Amino acid sequence: MIKNFLLPLMMAALMFTFVACGDDKDEAPLPEESIEDIIDSVEASPDVIDTVVQTPTPETPKKDGDKTPATPTDATKKPLEGYVASLDGLVQGGNGRVSKADASAIVGRGGILVFKSGNTVYFVYNEDGSFASKRLASFASADKVGILGKSQSKGGINIFIMTMIDAI
């Protein structure tokens, strides 16, 4: 029985060896081109014409209710009006409104509260540079909140340096 198994195995190994060791042919040598020849051939190739046409994006007209500032807002005399929102709630597609208890729980677990005015979302900081989520949490239940300070926009992110906050 072993002979019946070994004989075909040996034959297959010999056939594989003959096929794998076939003629040892040299590969065709690569053309001897210099860098200058390659550069000349690239420079001589026809220019590619760009067929993509850029169309200017139309500006969307601002609505009366849209309070999105185009420039930094100076709210040192007249407060910026809006409401306290959960960043998680806004990202998930809601309006972000939270109760005072929910806001305290969000701050307790390290979540982020933001200030939403019109269609603009602001990350609010205290004057000393600390994040103002704890102060915002105490005004979360108010329908309308006013904050005084100055806004900045850095890298597409709206930041508000708050001097005072109060429910309106």
Side-chain angles (χ1 to χ4, degrees), residues 50-151:
D50 189 10
T51 58
V52 176
V53 178
Q54 288 186 341
T55 56
T57 55
E59 291 186 26
T60 56
K62 291 194 175 193
K63 301 173 194 161
D64 292 338
D66 190 7
K67 297 181 183 177
T68 305
T71 59
T73 305
D74 183 10
T76 53
K77 297 190 181 7
K78 184 180 178 215
L80 183 65
E81 296 179 5
Y83 63 91
V84 176
S86 163
L87 183 61
D88 291 340
L90 291 172
V91 169
Q92 293 173 1
N95 64 5
R97 289 192 183 261
V98 290
S99 67
K100 190 173 182 178
D102 290 340
S104 296
I106 290 169
V107 171
R109 71 171 192 263
I112 297 175
L113 293 178
V114 293
F115 185 80
K116 185 166 183 194
S117 176
N119 291 330
T120 307
V121 175
Y122 294 95
F123 290 88
V124 182
Y125 288 86
N126 295 312
E127 288 179 294
D128 64 359
S130 62
F131 200 60
S133 279
K134 288 182 183 178
R135 284 184 71 190
L136 288 173
S138 60
F139 292 94
S141 59
D143 288 333
K144 200 181 247 188
V145 177
I147 56 176
L148 292 176
K150 290 188 178 184
S151 73

Side-chain angles (χ1 to χ4, degrees), residues 18-72:
F18 286 124
V19 171
C21 294
D23 290 340
D24 199 16
K25 296 180 183 175
D26 291 334
E27 293 182 12
L30 294 175
E32 295 291 328
E33 283 186 296
S34 65
I35 296 292
E36 289 81 23
D37 293 337
I38 295 172
I39 291 173
D40 290 340
S41 69
V42 170
E43 288 177 351
S45 65
D47 292 335
V48 176
I49 298 172
D50 189 10
T51 58
V52 176
V53 178
Q54 288 186 341
T55 56
T57 55
E59 291 186 26
T60 56
K62 291 194 175 193
K63 301 173 194 161
D64 292 338
D66 190 7
K67 297 181 183 177
T68 305
T71 59

